[in-house]
Amino acid sequence: EIEQGEMEISNIGPVEPDVAQYTTLLLKTITNSSYYIPRELYDASIIQLDYALFFLPRNEFIFRASGVVFEIVEFEKPIVALTHPIFEQIFEEVGAIGYLCNTVEEMAAILRNLSQQPSEQHDEFIQNLKRYKERISTAAVALDLQEQMKKYLL
């Protein structure tokens, strides 16, 4: 078990009802009375994270990505997540950007380890996030589109 003070886990935004039952003294909630928090507070809160936790159900966000996935790429925050197709695709394209777990228990074990010692792979995760960020940049997508159009228009 993780002792209070060893780690702080933040929920940025509203706590969904199905998650609220699992809140503990370790969970810091950054929210306000409305569903959305101001962008400045949201961004500042993400910047403070060491890792982003994802509990996305495997069958959700299949043909579209959650916006927060792009935000962790933008802010170069490694993940501890349940295995999900969007993360599997990113791992295939650029390598590991954190830890993929099959169960919540595996996630808890990773968090316990991280609370006791920093990951030796952290810098690698950041480099892979930077590579993925470049790969999905507007300039890279525009260049790819231009190349694809040349194939069909010439």
Side-chain angles (χ1 to χ4, degrees), residues 85-128:
I86 189 72
F87 297 126
E88 290 171 326
Q89 178 184 346
I90 295 171
F91 275 54
E92 286 176 24
E93 289 183 29
V94 296
I97 61 166
Y99 302 94
L100 289 183
C101 305
N102 292 315
T103 66
V104 173
E105 291 77 20
E106 285 181 41
M107 290 177 76
I110 295 287
L111 292 174
R112 273 192 296 278
N113 289 339
L114 290 172
S115 75
Q116 295 169 5
Q117 62 183 12
S119 170
E120 295 176 6
Q121 298 172 290
H122 189 269
D123 290 343
E124 176 187 339
F125 298 155
I126 300 297
Q127 289 306 312
N128 291 342

